[in-house]
Amino acid sequence: MSDGISIGTGGGKPQILDLKRANRHGLIAGATGTGKTVTLQGIVEGFSANGVPCFVADVKGDLSGLAMAGSPTAKTHEAFAARAKEIGDTDWAYADNPVQFWDLYGEQGHPIRTTISEMGPLLLARLMDLNEVQEGVLQIAFHVADTEGLLLLDLDDLQAMLVDCAGRAAELTTTYGNVSKQSIGAIQRSLLQLRTQGAEHFFGEPALALRDFIRTDEYGRGIVNILAADRLMASPKLYSTFLLWLMSELFEVLPEVGDPDKPKLCFFFDEAHLLFDDAPKALLEKIEQVVRLIRSKGVGIYFITQNPIDIPDTVAGQLGNRVQHALRAFTPRDQAAVRAAAETFRTNLGVDVATAITELKVGEALVSLLQADGSPTPVERTLIKPPKSRVGPITPEERRVMIETDAIGDTYDEAIDRESAEELLAAKTQAAAASAAAAKATTEAERAEAAQAKADANAAKVAAREQAAQRKDDAREAANSPWSRAATSATRAAGSSIGRQVANEIGKQVFGTSRRRSSSGGLAATVLRGVLGGLFRG
């Protein structure tokens, strides 16, 4: 292992990237077709040979050639051999690199997954292009899930959680702030768009273990992790958010190591402008924080972009190692980029940077690297060292063999769906529905029983009234029958005749037989006849 990586030769001397300063980040910039990919390939080879694992996004498929040694029969052989001779690289020889292939979609490499919880509401809001209000509702959903012990692993879990929050909107609004169903509906629509972009392949388990990124092979060479990003580039926000998540995870998980002799991992972010396009202030602050602090975790971040002004000043100021390929100055923006790039290099009186940037040939760059004392070298016009591995993509068959025989094996190839928020909320909903159904059944039974009792009481009242009426009718009918009337008439007649006779006899005995009666005696006889007559009539 050497103390540095040869970038090329400029100003009559090698341009060496010091491994002790490699975690101070870097920038590789230049217009399309100026040689950025070949420069990147050579730098990755140097890191791997020195035992430093790397991660690189392969947006065009060309970087898969890192897995295979170059060939003397390749079209580029003569040019590469001539360049190696020109810069005095007598040790240059074709060589391969230990490689692991990854793919969010699981087609050209092992699947990379993370959970919704690990991604977090900030990056998800960026991924779904949510406004501040919707992001606030999403944060509430995350907080409620965390409070209630609901795991958010995949998009189905998040969708179920949002449905639950919508059903409890009034309760949550009182506790956490406004939770409108309109905002939840907007988030749900964004989730649907994520599904159409294939993001559901990214969220789930088994989640990526970062230790599988930071490995060396049996020869001590750093493993090169290549992400197949050609299809992923069709969803630029998913691409940039994934890489930002990966950087953030490295920052959160890795321990502090200060300034190591060499980086623990070097991270190459191609098409870096996608990370910053339309990024909200909170996200830019997070990126700046990660770039500024992750070096103490032993991680170097290298941005690859066409135009150096695509990188915000707060981030560009952290990039100590710079390789600038040719820029075109056809438009005012291009001219501004040339001036900006020229001003970022340490001055070299022998190099007119602003002029040189527009004159650089393919495979030539302006280079300024950090020295051992941390200061940048004066900018030099440099011939870039040719790569040792294949320039261009490997074949599908070669890729398949390497995927099947690498150290990762089938660890990530099969998705796992364990019990999480979706299942728990579904069970909760089913339990509530069953309880409601039981309560409803009990209530209906009680209502039916009460209604039956009331009906029975009414029927009893009606029956009692009918029986009373029937008795009256029977009595009236009996009273009005011919035999009853005949008996009554006879009784009356008998009572009238016999009564008078009895009364006369009693009167004679009591009051005497004289024809002349006193007035009192006559009155008493009359009363007595009335009483006796009534008795007989009764």
Side-chain angles (χ1 to χ4, degrees):
M1 184 185 78
S2 64
D3 292 332
I5 299 170
S6 175
I7 302 296
T9 298
K13 59 184 179 181
Q15 297 295 310
I16 303 297
L17 176 58
D18 192 332
L19 285 174
K20 291 183 178 180
R21 296 290 178 260
N23 64 333
R24 301 300 178 91
H25 314 316
L27 173 68
I28 303 172
T32 300
T34 58
K36 294 192 305 297
T37 300
V38 171
T39 299
L40 169 61
Q41 190 167 337
I43 293 175
V44 171
E45 288 176 356
F47 278 123
S48 177
N50 283 277
V52 178
C54 296
F55 172 87
V56 58
D58 187 10
V59 299
K60 295 179 291 185
D62 295 345
L63 291 174
S64 61
L66 282 162
M68 306 296 292
S71 171
T73 62
K75 295 180 181 179
T76 57
H77 172 67
E78 291 186 7
F80 285 178
R83 173 60 61 84
K85 183 177 180 180
E86 183 179 2
I87 66 177
D89 187 357
T90 58
D91 295 332
W92 181 81
Y94 290 120
D96 63 359
N97 301 276
V99 167
Q100 290 176 166
F101 289 105
W102 303 88
D103 184 1
L104 259 65
Y105 303 100
E107 297 172 352
Q108 300 183 69
H110 300 292
I112 292 183
R113 302 182 187 89
T114 187
T115 65
I116 291 290
S117 295
E118 289 176 341
M119 176 67 77
L122 177 62
L123 292 182
L124 273 176
R126 147 82 169 180
L127 187 57
M128 294 189 287
D129 198 22
L130 304 182
N131 60 34
E132 291 184 4
V133 174
Q134 294 160 359
E135 181 181 345
V137 172
L138 186 63
Q139 289 176 339
I140 291 173
F142 268 75
H143 179 75
V144 172
D146 184 59
T147 302
E148 299 182 357
L150 300 172
L151 291 175
L152 299 179
L153 302 180
D154 52 28
L155 293 181
D156 291 336
D157 290 328
L158 181 56
Q159 188 169 10
M161 191 69 224
L162 290 169
V163 171
D164 183 68
C165 288
R168 302 162 55 188
E171 169 196 345
L172 297 178
T173 295
T174 303
T175 306
Y176 301 109
N178 188 37
V179 178
S180 70
K181 294 184 178 180
Q182 291 80 2
S183 294
I184 291 178
I187 299 173
Q188 295 281 37
R189 289 191 295 273
S190 296
L191 284 178
L192 179 60
Q193 292 176 356
L194 281 185
R195 290 182 186 275
T196 62
Q197 296 175 14
E200 59 186 357
H201 298 287
F202 176 45
F203 294 106
E205 290 185 316
L208 175 67
L210 292 178
R211 64 177 179 273
D212 289 329
F213 265 22
I214 308 175
R215 303 163 62 101
T216 56
D217 69 357
E218 62 270 25
Y219 303 107
R221 299 179 299 172
I223 300 292
V224 180
N225 299 277
I226 299 178
L227 174 69
D230 47 350
R231 178 183 171 188
L232 187 59
M233 288 301 295
S235 305
K237 281 198 173 179
L238 179 58
Y239 168 76
S240 60
T241 304
F242 161 70
L243 293 187
L244 178 56
W245 163 78
L246 188 54
M247 288 193 300
S248 300
E249 282 296 294
L250 290 168
F251 173 69
E252 295 290 338
V253 172
L254 294 178
E256 294 277 347
V257 295
D259 285 321
D261 291 336
K262 63 180 181 180
K264 297 182 66 174
L265 175 73
C266 280
F267 189 100
F268 294 87
F269 198 140
D270 202 358
E271 299 293 341
H273 67 279
L274 296 174
L275 181 61
F276 305 102
D277 288 348
D278 301 321
K281 182 180 179 181
L283 189 59
L284 288 175
E285 291 175 350
K286 183 175 180 64
I287 296 170
E288 180 186 355
Q289 178 194 42
V290 170
V291 173
R292 180 164 44 86
L293 299 178
I294 200 172
R295 70 170 184 81
S296 64
K297 306 295 183 84
V299 177
I301 298 176
Y302 289 76
F303 294 99
I304 300 94
T305 187
Q306 294 186 21
N307 201 321
I309 64 175
D310 292 334
I311 310 297
D313 292 341
T314 54
V315 175
Q318 307 292 326
L319 311 180
N321 301 294
R322 293 172 177 262
V323 178
Q324 177 66 62
H325 286 271
L327 290 175
R328 311 307 179 200
F330 300 136
T331 67
R333 186 175 186 274
D334 293 337
Q335 294 167 5
V338 170
R339 291 192 298 271
E343 293 171 356
T344 59
F345 288 105
R346 180 178 174 182
T347 304
N348 184 343
L349 297 178
V351 179
D352 183 351
V353 177
T355 301
I357 287 179
T358 61
E359 297 177 347
L360 294 170
K361 301 174 184 177
V362 176
E364 191 178 18
L366 294 171
V367 175
S368 177
L369 306 169
L370 294 179
Q371 303 176 94
D373 62 0
S375 64
T377 61
V379 61
E380 291 288 356
R381 189 163 177 166
T382 302
L383 294 175
I384 301 300
K385 178 182 178 179
K388 299 178 179 181
S389 55
R390 181 187 298 179
V391 174
I394 61 176
T395 66
E397 180 61 24
E398 290 170 333
R399 183 186 291 267
R400 183 187 64 80
V401 171
M402 299 202 69
I403 293 172
E404 292 178 352
T405 58
D406 64 16
I408 297 299
D410 59 356
T411 303
Y412 299 100
D413 293 345
E414 294 295 330
I416 299 173
D417 186 14
R418 63 185 173 119
E419 187 178 68
S420 52
E422 181 191 20
E423 291 79 13
L424 293 175
L425 289 173
K428 176 182 175 182
T429 301
Q430 291 176 356
S435 177
K440 182 178 179 181
T442 302
T443 302
E444 288 181 349
E446 291 174 350
R447 289 176 180 172
E449 183 178 352
Q452 185 61 47
K454 184 176 180 180
D456 292 343
N458 291 336
K461 290 179 180 179
V462 171
R465 286 196 296 267
E466 289 178 350
Q467 291 176 0
Q470 184 62 45
R471 285 196 298 271
K472 290 182 180 179
D473 290 343
D474 291 344
R476 190 178 299 112
E477 183 178 356
N480 293 330
S481 65
W483 291 106
S484 177
R485 288 195 299 270
T488 301
S489 297
T491 302
R492 287 177 179 173
S496 176
S497 174
I498 295 172
R500 285 194 298 268
Q501 292 178 8
V502 171
N504 289 332
E505 289 299 325
I506 292 174
K508 289 178 180 180
Q509 294 295 327
V510 174
F511 299 107
T513 57
S514 176
R515 291 185 176 262
R516 295 176 125 181
R517 296 180 180 91
S518 64
S519 59
S520 59
L523 177 59
T526 302
V527 172
L528 182 60
R529 282 196 299 271
V531 172
L532 292 176
L535 289 174
F536 281 100
R537 285 195 300 271

